[in-house]
Amino acid sequence: MNYEKKHVFFRRVSTTGQSLTMQQAADLKYRDKHKLLLHQVLVIEENAISANKKSTDERPEMQRLISLIKNNRVDTLYAFDRTRLFRDTFEGMEFTDLCLKRQVKIVYTSEGNGHIQSTQDIFLESFLGMFSDIEGKNIARRTQEANKRYPPKKLGYTKIKESKTYIPDEKKETILKSYFVDVNELADMRHLCNILNRYQKELKCSAERLVSIAQDPFYAGFDLENGENRLPHVTPYMTLHQHKKLQEEKGQFFTNYKKRLETLKSQDTFAPICGLCKKPMLYRISVIENKSNYSCSRKHKRVLMPFDDLSRIIQQLLQETIKNLNFKKLLYDSALFFRNYKKKLVMEAKAIDHQIKKYMENLILSTNGYSPHWKDDLAYKKLKRSKEERELLLKELDEANEYMANQKNMREKLETLLTDRLKENSPWLFSLFVRNIVIYPNSMDVEVSKFDYLTDLQKEFVYEVGEVS
């Protein structure tokens, strides 16, 4: 089916507060100039989409545009300038290359200020795209710096838009001041967790955010990123001296809390299923105990499995699995494969040798005296290509021979590799051997991946806490 190609008008703004009006006005004359009919025009708009923060895969409208171009549905693409399409240099290069291949003309509707129209030179477009990339990163940097000094929202503050000042929130001021007093009296990690549990309910925010607030110099009316920069538009909750003293005396508690939290979050690797309701179990963290567990209580008796216990059980199971791997059969099949592979390489090398001999004969017999252009001869080019293929085959043959020679040590190497991965409790090893975990109140089922090299694995064993270190 033949489709009429469209004139696509692409517009984009990064935030909800920005307007498309300027871009619409800029491309109006192009619609009028070409007297385009309604069915010839396609408008694609991206609202509140940052090309700095989102890749092509995260931009549905851009993906739609690319799909249209790939299907030869676009005649001309109109955009205000390069920054409306992409900020990333490499994404911009790929897009430009696609447009050149599909013969899509690109027109930028912006005028003046030294603006350069689209060219057919991929090198020049890549160079210009670099400026968009740099400009985008500068915008992101300036935005980040501005948000440190003038954040859209700040817990415990009311922002006065007219004067761009920040004053304490009347509803939360007393609670937040009390929080700062309490964290100054910290004794240990348990004390910090108790304080966080209390104030996250009162201030309706996460414990992690409360820790960040305790470390944030904004509440002292300062930005300490590069030196001591006072923020005169901020009414502080404490002095700079008090903030520094808090970091010096209690800062290690805040740092350790974040490290514990990050470590506990990263341990969520097993994804077990509840044996009673057959749904995924929830992963819960206790920073105060420095422990985590999987639990489920969806309209049934609570099913609970501490992460440390589950980790030890999985470790024991993987040990049993490695013990029951049939390395003899695995290595025998591997050696058989490489023997057959070696025979194939030898046969291919002989065939190429025959081709080389044939090309040599043709080259010698067809040559009438010396020619300065002998390298351009078709027979010579075929000969050269065959020799290169032969070199690659000989290299592969050497690698196959080396593997065969090291076959005796392969079992030891393989066992060592698996054992080392097991010590690290590698998610890779777990995903390789385990398909499913189902946990019941007093037992659990583990479905191990079935394959030819795993034999006589014990179907049931009892695990006692502390059995595996």
Side-chain angles (χ1 to χ4, degrees):
M1 184 181 293
N2 292 322
Y3 293 98
E4 182 180 10
K5 290 188 176 182
K6 301 282 188 180
H7 288 256
V8 179
F9 291 82
F10 186 89
R11 307 162 188 152
R12 180 183 68 83
V13 288
S14 301
T15 64
T16 52
Q18 293 177 310
S19 172
L20 291 165
T21 304
M22 180 176 67
Q23 296 175 53
Q24 292 167 348
D27 64 44
L28 176 61
K29 72 174 186 178
Y30 290 91
R31 283 174 279 152
D32 292 343
K33 177 182 177 181
H34 296 292
K35 298 180 180 178
L36 298 173
L37 300 176
L38 188 62
H39 69 275
Q40 296 176 306
V41 173
L42 176 63
V43 176
I44 297 179
E45 295 181 343
E46 285 187 331
N47 288 289
I49 298 292
S50 172
N52 275 326
K53 298 177 182 178
K54 294 184 180 293
S55 65
T56 304
D57 294 337
E58 299 172 295
R59 299 170 61 187
E61 295 303 320
M62 177 52 72
Q63 288 181 354
R64 178 188 174 198
L65 173 59
I66 291 172
S67 178
L68 288 169
I69 294 173
K70 287 181 176 179
N71 288 295
N72 297 313
R73 300 284 307 280
V74 179
D75 177 278
T76 306
L77 171 63
Y78 301 85
F80 187 73
D81 58 27
R82 290 172 179 81
T83 68
R84 297 306 88 199
L85 295 172
F86 293 97
R87 287 287 191 185
D88 182 83
T89 303
F90 297 105
E91 288 183 339
M93 287 172 63
E94 288 181 355
F95 184 78
T96 302
D97 186 54
L98 174 64
C99 290
L100 289 173
K101 287 178 179 177
R102 301 295 179 176
Q103 297 182 327
V104 174
K105 184 180 179 183
I106 301 178
V107 175
Y108 295 122
T109 60
S110 175
E111 295 181 352
N113 297 319
H115 179 68
I116 301 175
Q117 266 299 339
S118 176
T119 71
Q120 296 294 308
D121 188 329
I122 187 67
F123 175 78
L124 179 57
E125 287 298 320
S126 301
F127 183 75
L128 294 172
M130 288 176 61
F131 286 100
S132 295
D133 195 336
I134 294 170
E135 180 188 358
K137 287 181 171 59
N138 284 337
I139 290 173
R141 175 182 53 78
R142 289 193 296 268
T143 301
Q144 185 179 19
E145 290 179 358
N147 282 339
K148 287 180 182 178
R149 298 173 174 82
Y150 295 92
K153 291 182 180 180
K154 202 73 172 178
L155 183 67
Y157 277 102
T158 299
K159 182 178 180 180
I160 310 300
K161 292 184 179 180
E162 293 78 10
S163 58
K164 293 185 178 181
T165 57
Y166 294 79
I167 62 173
D169 183 344
E170 292 181 357
K171 296 180 180 179
K172 297 178 179 178
E173 181 180 7
T174 302
I175 303 172
L176 198 54
K177 283 182 177 179
S178 177
Y179 168 69
F180 284 124
V181 170
D182 286 347
V183 291
N184 269 286
E185 302 299 326
L186 279 177
D188 51 35
M189 185 62 72
R190 180 175 292 274
H191 189 191
L192 173 60
C193 291
N194 288 332
I195 290 173
L196 296 176
N197 287 338
R198 172 191 165 190
Y199 284 99
Q200 67 179 340
K201 294 176 183 177
E202 294 189 31
L203 291 170
K204 297 179 181 179
C205 68
S206 68
E208 192 172 6
R209 187 176 181 186
L210 283 172
V211 171
S212 296
I213 288 173
Q215 296 176 304
D216 192 349
F218 186 91
Y219 290 88
F222 274 83
D223 170 23
L224 303 180
E225 187 70 25
N226 293 299
E228 295 181 0
N229 300 303
R230 188 172 176 277
L231 306 178
H233 54 283
V234 177
T235 302
Y237 274 82
M238 65 182 80
T239 65
L240 179 60
H241 173 74
Q242 290 171 329
H243 170 77
K244 287 183 175 181
K245 184 180 178 182
L246 176 61
Q247 307 314 308
E248 290 171 4
E249 296 180 356
K250 314 298 179 182
Q252 194 60 44
F253 291 122
F254 306 139
T255 301
N256 290 342
Y257 181 92
K258 287 186 173 181
K259 285 182 179 178
R260 270 195 194 184
L261 186 62
E262 184 179 352
T263 300
L264 291 170
K265 284 182 177 180
S266 67
Q267 290 177 348
D268 183 16
T269 55
F270 295 128
I273 296 172
C274 174
L276 300 183
C277 67
K278 308 302 179 185
K279 295 181 179 180
M281 298 182 72
L282 299 176
Y283 182 70
R284 301 186 183 279
I285 290 171
S286 173
V287 179
I288 192 171
E289 299 291 342
N290 200 20
K291 293 180 179 180
S292 57
N293 62 65
Y294 291 99
S295 66
C296 183
S297 56
R298 297 182 179 93
K299 298 181 180 179
H300 57 69
K301 179 182 177 182
R302 189 183 185 198
V303 179
L304 178 69
M305 172 61 74
F307 172 84
D308 289 343
D309 288 346
L310 180 58
S311 180
R312 293 188 181 100
I313 292 171
I314 294 300
Q315 187 181 51
Q316 181 174 340
L317 175 69
L318 293 175
Q319 285 177 344
E320 294 292 325
T321 303
I322 293 172
K323 286 179 184 177
N324 286 276
L325 282 176
N326 192 336
F327 287 100
K328 185 176 180 180
K329 178 175 173 57
L330 174 62
L331 296 175
Y332 173 81
D333 288 350
S334 177
L336 183 63
F337 168 80
F338 270 92
R339 275 197 295 270
N340 292 332
Y341 180 60
K342 182 179 176 181
K343 288 179 182 178
K344 179 185 175 184
L345 292 178
V346 170
M347 290 176 64
E348 289 181 3
K350 286 181 178 180
I352 290 177
D353 283 339
H354 179 72
Q355 282 184 340
I356 290 174
K357 184 178 179 181
K358 182 180 176 182
Y359 291 146
M360 284 289 290
E361 290 174 353
N362 290 339
L363 183 61
I364 293 170
L365 295 175
S366 64
T367 301
N368 297 319
Y370 174 78
S371 170
H373 305 294
W374 60 275
K375 287 188 177 181
D376 296 328
D377 190 285
L378 183 60
Y380 172 77
K381 289 181 178 179
K382 289 181 178 180
L383 175 63
K384 184 180 178 183
R385 188 160 53 247
S386 294
K387 285 185 175 181
E388 289 173 350
E389 290 177 3
R390 186 177 185 275
E391 288 299 318
L392 288 174
L393 275 175
L394 290 175
K395 184 179 179 182
E396 289 185 40
L397 191 57
D398 288 340
E399 290 175 353
N401 285 329
E402 185 180 354
Y403 175 84
M404 297 291 290
N406 294 329
Q407 188 73 3
K408 293 181 180 179
N409 302 322
M410 193 58 66
R411 172 170 182 161
E412 183 180 344
K413 290 180 180 179
L414 188 56
E415 284 187 287
T416 301
L417 171 66
L418 293 175
T419 303
D420 289 344
R421 288 296 179 95
L422 180 59
K423 289 177 182 178
E424 300 168 6
N425 197 21
S426 169
W428 170 81
L429 197 59
F430 168 77
S431 63
L432 181 66
F433 291 130
V434 179
R435 293 182 62 185
N436 222 348
I437 302 175
V438 183
I439 300 178
Y440 299 90
N442 299 306
S443 64
M444 62 180 287
D445 292 335
V446 181
E447 184 181 355
V448 178
S449 300
K450 296 179 181 179
F451 48 97
D452 294 341
Y453 306 108
L454 181 61
T455 58
D456 302 325
L457 182 64
Q458 186 178 349
K459 292 186 178 179
E460 181 177 330
F461 61 87
V462 177
Y463 165 77
E464 295 181 3
V465 176
E467 183 179 337
V468 181
S469 61

